[in-house]
Amino acid sequence: MEPKRIREGYLVKKGNVFNTWKPMWMVLLEDGIEFYKKKSDNNPKGMIPLKGSIVTSPCQDFSKRMFVFKITSIKQQDQYFQAAYLEERDAWVRDIKKAIKCIEGGQKFSRKSTRRSIRLPETVDLGALYLSMKDTEKGVKELNIEKDKKIFNHCFTGSCVVDWLVSNKSVRNRQEGLMIASSLLSEGYLQPAGDLSKNAADGITENPFLDNPDAFYYFPDSGFFCEENSSDDDVILKEEFRGVIIKQGCLLKQGHRRKNWKVRKFILREDPAYLHYYDPAGGEDPLGAVHLRGCVVTSVESNPEGKKSDEENLFEIITADEVHYFLQAAAPKERTEWIKAIQVASRTGK
């Protein structure tokens, strides 16, 4: 009987021989993780046994890479993975830890809760707190703050974070708020913006987080960017990134010239409505952007070239300028979610 598939999807994996990062199709089983060069492959490139393994998240071994976690095998071999966004990393880590715990207890993996009336430990759930902070109505308000001839977009001050924690009754006083905010920062739920907060996070000050109106922070998936005095062209380019992120993740994209398929990280923003795509293995700048205003997006049931293939879950975006983009999701549900999100953005965004 084959092991149960718990979770699957694209993650960026660091090579064991060469220090290269490449997107791989990952499959979490009850007893290990298989990784494939692409989803349609029948034979995995390798497997990581979970018995006796330890998961480290967040992993801070790579300062320029966000949403990284590490699996250390029983033989003390380290494997590094990078997710496309914070919630995706946390979901993988949560399932991997649970799978390891089930192996140790001789239990079958199940998503049904067995806690029932067992009281949870009196500890703070940083993940739940982060989601509350991001609530558009009751959470921490994102602002565009100008300081030293720079504009920090989609950010907030350290004082605002502590103010929110106290007013929300998540902590009893500002000292506790400072401790929780520091934990949110170290876990990657908050990111420093500006020299003052970055220096504190690097250990120059006594506390990594500053309860200070001049220390700026942002949510990692908020669309934060900093702009200085710019030319008109720069202003037009940055306008693309002002929209709020409403969906993100990895998809396969067909190239316009060579017609080959490559994994890309996509970030969907609305108002203005843009779909930016990136190299998931690294790079802060997008490889391209699709302006979605007035676009048409539909599912495609056959290969764009009209040839028989294993391609499934395809969909097509046709822009107002009649440029065609062919994308592939990992599952029918994921394709439907992307189509619906893009349709909403194309109608409401600029």
Side-chain angles (χ1 to χ4, degrees):
M1 188 174 178
E2 292 187 1
K4 173 184 175 183
R5 290 192 172 207
I6 299 168
R7 176 179 292 275
E8 54 187 334
Y10 285 108
L11 291 173
V12 178
K13 182 181 181 298
K14 180 179 177 292
N16 294 326
V17 179
F18 303 103
N19 292 325
T20 54
W21 293 75
K22 293 183 178 180
M24 307 288 285
W25 181 259
M26 315 298 300
V27 178
L28 172 60
L29 306 171
E30 291 178 300
D31 58 350
I33 301 176
E34 294 179 342
F35 50 96
Y36 301 76
K37 189 174 181 181
K38 54 185 179 180
K39 183 186 176 183
S40 58
D41 287 353
N42 294 320
N43 299 315
K45 296 283 289 183
M47 191 220 188
I48 304 166
L50 292 180
K51 186 176 181 180
S53 294
I54 298 172
V55 182
T56 303
S57 177
C59 175
Q60 309 287 7
D61 294 5
F62 307 93
S63 60
K64 293 184 178 180
R65 289 185 177 272
M66 298 172 66
F67 318 130
V68 174
F69 65 92
K70 176 174 70 173
I71 300 177
T72 304
S73 71
I74 196 170
K75 295 182 179 180
Q76 299 301 307
Q77 294 176 326
D78 293 334
Q79 303 280 356
Y80 297 93
F81 303 90
Q82 182 181 19
Y85 53 100
L86 183 65
E87 289 89 344
E88 183 183 49
R89 181 198 70 185
D90 289 351
W92 273 95
V93 169
R94 187 165 54 247
D95 282 349
I96 292 170
K97 285 184 175 180
K98 186 172 182 179
I100 294 172
K101 191 173 181 179
C102 287
I103 293 171
E104 293 172 350
Q107 301 170 332
K108 296 288 289 182
F109 187 99
S110 174
R111 294 196 184 280
K112 293 181 180 179
S113 175
T114 55
R115 291 178 296 180
R116 295 183 182 175
S117 60
I118 299 174
R119 290 190 63 187
L120 292 173
E122 295 297 326
T123 55
V124 177
D125 186 341
L126 293 178
L129 190 59
Y130 162 75
L131 292 176
S132 297
M133 293 176 71
K134 285 188 69 178
D135 186 276
T136 53
E137 294 183 2
K138 299 180 180 179
V140 176
K141 302 301 179 186
E142 295 181 72
L143 305 169
N144 295 338
I145 304 174
E146 185 172 0
K147 186 175 178 61
D148 298 331
K149 297 182 179 180
K150 295 181 180 179
I151 299 176
F152 297 85
N153 298 269
H154 297 293
C155 72
F156 38 81
T157 70
S159 297
C160 286
V161 173
V162 179
D163 287 344
W164 184 88
L165 289 169
V166 173
S167 64
N168 198 48
K169 298 182 180 179
S170 299
V171 297
R172 291 176 296 180
N173 51 51
R174 299 193 76 83
Q175 187 60 36
E176 280 191 5
L178 187 60
M179 180 184 67
I180 295 299
S182 297
S183 298
L184 287 164
L185 182 70
S186 65
E187 290 288 323
Y189 292 107
L190 299 177
Q191 293 292 323
D195 294 337
L196 187 63
S197 56
K198 286 180 180 179
N199 288 338
D202 289 338
I204 294 179
T205 59
E206 182 179 351
N207 199 298
F209 187 91
L210 298 177
D211 180 4
N212 188 315
D214 292 324
F216 305 147
Y217 300 89
Y218 64 95
F219 297 125
D221 300 334
S222 66
F224 165 83
F225 67 95
C226 176
E227 55 186 327
E228 302 184 51
N229 293 331
S230 309
S231 67
D232 291 341
D233 290 341
D234 290 337
V235 171
I236 293 171
L237 177 63
K238 288 186 172 66
E239 181 69 21
E240 297 181 7
F241 300 95
R242 291 187 184 276
V244 175
I245 295 175
I246 57 175
K247 188 170 178 59
Q248 56 185 315
C250 287
L251 296 167
L252 279 170
K253 176 184 176 295
Q254 187 186 52
H256 281 95
R257 294 180 181 177
R258 298 173 60 188
K259 304 299 181 183
N260 56 339
W261 292 84
K262 290 188 177 181
V263 180
R264 294 291 180 241
K265 174 184 174 180
F266 285 84
I267 295 181
L268 174 61
R269 293 179 169 91
E270 65 175 358
D271 197 25
Y274 276 90
L275 183 65
H276 293 94
Y277 51 95
Y278 301 74
D279 180 351
E284 296 180 1
D285 297 326
L287 299 175
V290 184
H291 190 192
L292 298 175
R293 180 63 177 170
C295 78
V296 176
V297 55
T298 58
S299 60
V300 178
E301 301 307 328
S302 62
N303 186 280
E305 299 298 309
K307 302 175 184 176
K308 289 185 178 181
S309 72
D310 296 329
E311 312 292 356
E312 296 177 344
N313 309 313
L314 297 170
F315 62 100
E316 178 184 14
I317 300 173
I318 306 175
T319 68
D321 297 331
E322 296 191 4
V323 179
H324 294 243
Y325 294 87
F326 290 98
L327 308 173
Q328 181 186 14
K333 181 182 176 183
E334 185 184 31
R335 175 174 70 173
T336 301
E337 290 173 351
W338 272 104
I339 289 174
K340 287 182 177 178
I342 291 171
Q343 286 174 337
V344 171
S346 68
R347 290 195 301 265
T348 61
K350 296 176 183 176

